[in-house]
Amino acid sequence: MTATQIFDRLWNDYTQQNPSVQAIYDLFIREGETVENDHIAFRTYDDPRVNIDVLAKVFLEAGYVYKGDYHFEQKRLYAKHYEMDGGPRVFISQLITSDFSAYLQEEVKKAIDAIPAGLLNSNELIFSGCSWGKPSYEVFEKLREESEYAGWLYVHGFRANHFTVSVNGLKKHDSLEKVNQLLRDNGFRINDSGGEIKGTPAELLEQSSIRSEVIQLEFVEGIMEIPGCYYEFARRYPDADGKLYSGFIAKSADKIFESTDKVS
């Protein structure tokens, strides 16, 4: 499977579930912009059957290489990022389940145990969504009390958590301030956790994102409204050697994760 085929499948699933993403993409196009993807991100658990290294296989086979790793102590996450010439970066994080309650660890194990064996060893895993079956809203709420990340992953499974517009590729809206204003003017809600813009030019990376839209999902208990996915925006700056910074900043990403938090 080529990188283009992988990203096309992921984008189609992502936009079908989250119409606001397609609406923002279309908004940029109407503004005369060319939308380039800076990176795409995934969430998973640290279980060796579905961890970062497992999800990364499909990208490594398509030509990606490992570039760096990151630790998020407050949210108890570990992440790696991968790159390929001409392709968007890939960021995959995993929950360190041993840092949580026995209840959370058991629910995660039950979910992964329910994934068909053939899927676990297949490149289809990353496209499979909630591959352990229909989720329970009660379990979702209990997991979310401990970790929003765990709750989101339990109900959404394996799919793109977000795509990211490269602000460097925009001409008219060439700053995060301009991008955020365009979004506000068109009724989209900005994630303001830690400020609307995370990072600084001095850190060589600025990021912002919309809040996840609310989607309807079928649970064992019936159809409920929960946060879906979100769209991110990133502007990168050149380092002392004139090369555009290509990594990520943990303290900024920590706040970007909160784009899927349930808010009133």
Side-chain angles (χ1 to χ4, degrees):
M1 201 180 314
T2 67
T4 298
Q5 290 172 325
I6 295 168
F7 285 105
D8 284 349
R9 284 185 66 180
L10 291 166
W11 174 260
N12 288 338
D13 173 75
Y14 172 66
T15 53
Q16 285 174 17
Q17 191 205 49
N18 304 274
S20 66
V21 170
Q22 187 67 56
I24 292 172
Y25 178 92
D26 293 342
L27 173 62
F28 279 119
I29 298 301
R30 289 197 303 274
E31 291 282 315
E33 300 284 16
T34 299
V35 180
E36 300 174 4
N37 186 20
D38 179 89
H39 70 271
I40 185 172
F42 301 89
R43 295 180 177 186
T44 191
Y45 301 114
D46 61 356
D47 186 295
R49 294 170 291 176
V50 299
N51 65 11
I52 291 172
D53 294 335
V54 171
L55 292 192
K57 284 179 184 176
V58 66
F59 296 103
L60 295 174
E61 290 173 9
Y64 275 78
V65 295
Y66 164 76
K67 284 292 184 178
D69 67 344
Y70 310 87
H71 297 270
F72 303 89
E73 293 183 5
Q74 184 179 0
K75 290 186 172 55
R76 302 179 181 103
L77 304 172
Y78 173 68
K80 294 182 180 180
H81 106 262
Y82 305 82
E83 295 183 27
M84 182 180 81
D85 289 342
R89 300 160 189 81
V90 173
F91 184 92
I92 309 175
S93 57
Q94 65 185 28
L95 189 72
I96 303 170
T97 53
S98 60
D99 284 352
F100 293 90
S101 70
Y103 174 83
L104 183 145
Q105 293 179 56
E106 181 59 28
E107 289 299 331
V108 168
K109 183 179 183 301
K110 280 164 55 178
I112 298 170
D113 285 348
I115 301 174
L119 186 58
L120 282 172
N121 300 309
S122 165
N123 283 342
E124 290 297 307
L125 180 66
I126 202 163
F127 308 107
S128 66
C130 191
S131 49
W132 35 81
K134 191 181 298 183
S136 159
Y137 190 76
E138 180 184 1
V139 172
F140 163 65
E141 286 285 83
K142 286 182 178 178
L143 293 179
R144 196 171 63 81
E145 287 175 8
E146 287 195 60
S147 163
E148 181 281 328
Y149 183 109
W152 188 97
L153 182 53
Y154 168 71
V155 296
H156 291 288
F158 304 110
R159 56 167 26 97
N161 174 257
H162 65 271
F163 276 68
T164 308
V165 174
S166 170
V167 178
N168 297 76
L170 302 177
K171 294 179 173 60
K172 182 178 176 183
H173 304 282
D174 57 355
S175 71
L176 265 297
E177 289 85 358
K178 292 179 182 178
V179 167
N180 288 350
Q181 190 60 54
L182 177 68
L183 297 172
R184 271 195 302 272
D185 289 346
N186 285 272
F188 297 99
R189 187 172 181 180
I190 309 296
N191 170 11
D192 58 2
S193 177
E196 287 194 353
I197 297 176
K198 290 81 165 133
T200 65
E203 294 172 302
L204 307 182
L205 175 63
E206 292 180 310
Q207 297 165 272
S208 70
S209 62
I210 61 166
R211 286 281 183 185
S212 296
E213 66 186 281
V214 175
I215 65 169
Q216 291 189 332
L217 195 71
E218 187 174 357
F219 289 86
V220 173
E221 297 91 338
I223 295 176
M224 307 287 186
E225 291 189 339
I226 61 167
C229 301
Y230 61 95
Y231 215 177
E232 186 185 328
F233 314 91
R235 183 179 181 185
R236 297 180 181 275
Y237 293 85
D239 60 21
D241 297 325
K243 185 178 180 182
L244 209 62
Y245 178 70
S246 196
F248 296 88
I249 300 171
K251 69 177 182 179
S252 296
D254 192 72
K255 296 301 182 183
I256 291 289
F257 278 123
E258 295 176 16
S259 298
T260 55
D261 281 5
K262 208 170 181 180
V263 295
S264 56

